[in-house]
């Protein structure tokens, strides 16, 4: 009798397992209003570092989220705030993270400066763990001026195959790239003496992101207005991180049946499975507040020519993908 009961239990467990494995993450992937999400893999966990989406004067900290499988997320509260960044007062935006020499660096924008006369811009903080706590590396902004008319916001750190790190950033429809020095305390000019090189493609507004695939450099950015339904993501491909970048087209935008204003994204690539994911924010239907933005993840695919296929935004999200 015991053997019969045991056999029946095994059959029931086997039948239930596929259903559990098929459970998707769902969009949004975690509760709360969060925008400008940067996704990355550290070790055996996925991480998302977003902007806390609220009125500017309430944006005085960053939370982070981690997951072993893209489905179950753990919140790490206040990994960095204005208590640690004395020059930052408000509008802490769009964190970008990178690991180097066993340290974790978080680049961020603060204060939404409108001119060179104001205090603020792009800062950098450092920690011993992805979840912090992070401390100000410089005690002042890394970039506190407008170069090539680019507002110093929306920073992204890109590590090239040769180990060189670049900072790509810019709002107000202008985008710059600069070579970071070895300890991230400043920049190394390019061979022609220029430190901040403009690489602005057609229709660029903000939110740059770059990745490398098969020796090509994919440069992505947000277009349209961040509060409007036209907010979207487009891209270009070049042979160098310096471009030139000729716009190919949009790959992420709203679906009026699901959500509005899909944009300001990042990309996660699991090299072991070759799965690609796009992490982005969007505004739920019925929400009118500009800051009502949620973080979502969907799959990203390429065609046989290496072009990015248009992304289908979903409410289901992605399948579980445990890291190995």
């Amino acid at each position: 009798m015991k053997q019969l009961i045991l056999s029946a239990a095994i059959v029931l467990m086997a039948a239930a397992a596929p259903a559990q494995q098929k459970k998707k993450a769902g969009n949004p992937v975690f509760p709360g209003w969060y925008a400008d999400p940067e996704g990355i893999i550290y070790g055996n966990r996925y991480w998302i570092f977003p902007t806390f989406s609220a009125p500017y004067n309430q944006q005085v900290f960053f939370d982070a989220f981690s997951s072993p499988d893209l489905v179950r997320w753990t919140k790490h509260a206040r990994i960095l705030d204005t208590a640690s960044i004395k020059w930052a007062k408000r509008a802490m935006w769009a964190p970008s993270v990178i690991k180097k020499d066993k340290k974790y660096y978080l680049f961020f924008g603060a204060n939404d400066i409108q001119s060179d006369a104001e205090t603020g811009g792009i800062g950098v903080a450092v920690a011993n763990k992805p979840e912090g706590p992070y401390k100000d590396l410089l005690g002042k902004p890394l970039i506190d001026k407008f170069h090539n008319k680019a507002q110093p916001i929306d920073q992204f750190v890109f590590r090239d195959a040769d180990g060189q790190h670049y900072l790509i950033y810019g709002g107000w429809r202008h985008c710059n790239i600069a070579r970071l020095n070895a300890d991230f305390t400043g920049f190394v000019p390019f061979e022609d003496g220029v430190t901040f090189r403009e690489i602005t493609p057609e229709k660029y507004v903000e939110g740059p992101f770059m990745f490398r695939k098969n020796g090509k450099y994919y440069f992505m950015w947000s277009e349209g207005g961040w509060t409007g339904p036209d907010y979207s993501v487009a891209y270009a491909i070049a042979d160098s991180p310096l471009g030139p970048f000729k716009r190919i087209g949009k790959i992420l935008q709203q679906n009026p049946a699901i959500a509005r204003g899909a944009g300001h994204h990042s990309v996660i690539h699991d090299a072991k499975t070759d799965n690609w994911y796009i992490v982005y924010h969007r505004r739920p239907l019925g929400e009118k507040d500009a800051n009502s933005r949620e973080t979502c993840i969907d799959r990203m695919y390429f065609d046989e020519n290496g072009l990015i296929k248009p992304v289908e935004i979903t409410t289901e999200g992605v399948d579980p993908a445990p890291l190995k």
Side-chain angles (χ1 to χ4, degrees):
M1 185 64 176
K2 288 182 179 179
Q3 188 173 11
L4 182 61
I5 293 173
L6 180 60
S7 299
I10 292 173
V11 170
L12 288 171
M13 289 171 62
Q20 293 173 353
Q21 291 171 359
K22 288 180 180 178
K23 181 183 177 184
K24 290 180 178 284
N27 280 324
V29 290
F30 41 74
W33 297 132
Y34 291 95
D36 316 330
E38 167 125 341
I40 195 167
I41 294 173
Y42 284 140
N44 62 354
R45 293 188 77 84
Y46 300 92
W47 287 82
I48 294 179
F49 297 80
T51 297
F52 173 60
S53 191
Y56 291 2
N57 288 336
Q58 297 176 29
Q59 294 178 317
V60 293
F61 64 89
F62 291 116
D63 296 329
F65 299 83
S66 67
S67 172
D69 57 7
L70 294 177
V71 174
R72 297 169 292 156
W73 291 91
T74 298
K75 179 179 177 179
H76 306 271
R78 290 184 175 262
I79 63 169
L80 177 67
D81 61 30
T82 51
S84 299
I85 311 296
K86 301 303 183 184
W87 55 268
K89 304 298 181 186
R90 66 199 288 266
M92 296 184 76
W93 291 344
S96 180
V97 293
I98 197 84
K99 182 182 180 183
K100 184 177 187 293
D101 301 331
K102 298 182 180 180
K103 297 283 188 179
Y104 297 85
Y105 294 85
L106 188 152
F107 293 74
F108 60 94
N111 297 354
D112 183 33
I113 64 172
Q114 304 294 299
S115 73
D116 290 348
E118 299 178 43
T119 299
I122 295 172
V124 57
V126 63
N128 294 318
K129 300 181 295 183
E131 65 270 32
Y134 286 84
K135 301 298 182 183
D136 196 345
L137 180 66
L138 302 175
K140 61 181 181 180
L142 176 66
I143 302 176
D144 61 355
K145 298 289 189 293
F146 284 67
H147 301 281
N148 304 318
K149 299 181 179 179
Q151 186 188 25
I153 62 168
D154 288 4
Q155 48 292 315
F156 172 67
V157 185
F158 172 69
R159 179 167 49 225
D160 205 351
D162 62 1
Q164 175 64 57
H165 291 83
Y166 296 89
L167 188 68
I168 306 168
Y169 75 93
W172 289 14
R173 301 181 181 275
H174 291 274
C175 184
N176 291 331
I177 187 170
R179 292 198 297 188
L180 284 158
N181 64 14
D183 58 7
F184 295 165
T185 59
F187 300 96
V188 178
F190 294 103
E191 287 72 13
D192 60 2
V194 171
T195 298
F196 300 97
R197 184 181 301 282
E198 185 166 8
I199 56 170
T200 308
E202 178 189 5
K203 296 187 178 181
Y204 174 93
V205 173
E206 60 191 15
F209 188 87
M210 185 177 287
F211 65 88
R212 191 170 181 269
K213 183 177 188 291
N214 296 333
K216 298 291 185 179
Y217 295 84
Y218 290 69
F219 179 44
M220 311 173 81
W221 62 89
S222 291
E223 300 180 347
W226 72 275
T227 62
D230 60 338
Y231 205 50
S232 53
V233 171
Y235 80 110
I237 301 175
D239 295 322
S240 162
L242 307 184
F245 293 104
K246 181 176 175 57
R247 183 182 185 275
I248 294 173
K250 290 184 181 183
I251 58 96
L252 178 73
Q253 56 189 318
Q254 72 165 19
N255 179 337
I258 295 177
R260 301 193 310 276
H264 203 128
H265 77 300
S266 60
V267 172
I268 294 176
H269 177 222
D270 181 359
K272 293 182 179 178
T273 63
D274 201 30
N275 286 338
W276 294 79
Y277 304 92
I278 188 164
V279 189
Y280 63 96
H281 75 241
R282 67 194 193 195
R283 188 167 290 102
L285 299 178
E287 289 290 341
K288 300 189 183 306
D289 188 326
N291 293 305
S292 296
R293 297 175 292 175
E294 59 188 13
T295 292
C296 302
I297 304 177
D298 281 301
R299 287 294 302 272
M300 191 174 82
Y301 298 96
F302 301 83
D303 69 15
E304 62 275 10
N305 297 314
L307 300 178
I308 303 174
K309 295 182 178 181
V311 174
E312 295 184 15
I313 69 171
T314 70
T315 55
E316 298 84 8
V318 296
D319 290 317
L323 290 166
K324 300 178 181 179

